[in-house]
Structures are given as C-alpha cells and as structure tokens.
Amino acid sequence: MAREAALAFFDKVREDQTLRWRLQASVRRDVKSLLRFAAEAGYFFSLRDYRAALEMEGELSEEIREEIANGRYVIPGLIVPSKEGEP
C-alpha cells in the first residue's frame, strides 16, 4: 500500500542524513513538493496516503495539524518547517 511507502519514506529521511539535507535544502516547503521529492527518491504515495501515514505515526499535535492545514509538510521526528522559503 502507498501508506506504507509514506511510512518507509519517513523512516528513510530520519535515517539518511544526505536525503534529509536534500529535503531540507529544498526551497519549497509545501506538501506537493514533498510528494514530488519522495517520488524522485522512489517512494510513491498520495496526499491521502501521506495524511494516513502521519496518523499511523501517532497523535498529531495542534502545531502539526496547523502546518498541514497551511499546506506545509511534516516528517514525524524532524523539525517542522515554519514558513515557505525559510531554510
């Protein structure tokens, strides 16, 4: 299932420092860019699968829900990007 691909992507980003640096260096911090980045890395999942995977990772804080509602991505266990265009 694609939800498992999203979970695998989360794990890979958390363990692979080079991949994490590439992701954090991305100019855009929106979910659509994250989905493209994941696909380029070989992990294919939809926005719905991404959200389901976040729920599977545990209870989402209000801060995380707000980031997602504003279109920004979240990787559980990593710093949440706060504003578009910020490093």
Side-chain angles (χ1 to χ4, degrees), residues 7 50 55 81:
L7 290 169
Y50 166 74
E55 290 289 342

Side-chain angles (χ1 to χ4, degrees), residues 22-40:
R22 285 183 41 225
L23 178 61
Q24 291 172 336
S26 300
V27 174
R28 297 191 50 98
R29 305 272 180 174
D30 61 287
V31 175
K32 289 181 182 180
S33 294
L34 176 74
L35 297 177
R36 281 191 299 275
F37 183 89
E40 289 171 6

Side-chain angles (χ1 to χ4, degrees), residues 4-16:
E4 284 74 22
L7 290 169
F9 176 71
F10 295 164
D11 289 340
K12 185 67 174 176
V13 170
R14 286 188 291 246
E15 71 185 35
D16 184 334

Side-chain angles (χ1 to χ4, degrees), residues 1-7 10 31-32 34-35 44-56 60 68:
M1 267 185 129
R3 189 176 0 196
E4 284 74 22
L7 290 169
F10 295 164
V31 175
K32 289 181 182 180
L34 176 74
L35 297 177
F44 302 95
F45 50 91
S46 68
L47 179 58
R48 174 179 270 169
D49 298 320
Y50 166 74
R51 287 184 175 153
L54 286 175
E55 290 289 342
M56 290 175 72
L60 301 179
I68 295 167

Side-chain angles (χ1 to χ4, degrees), residues 41-79:
Y43 297 88
F44 302 95
F45 50 91
S46 68
L47 179 58
R48 174 179 270 169
D49 298 320
Y50 166 74
R51 287 184 175 153
L54 286 175
E55 290 289 342
M56 290 175 72
E57 285 278 310
E59 185 63 32
L60 301 179
S61 70
E62 189 60 36
E63 178 187 14
I64 289 174
R65 289 181 187 277
E66 186 176 321
E67 290 293 317
I68 295 167
N70 289 325
R72 291 183 290 272
Y73 67 79
V74 175
I75 302 285
L78 297 179
I79 297 172

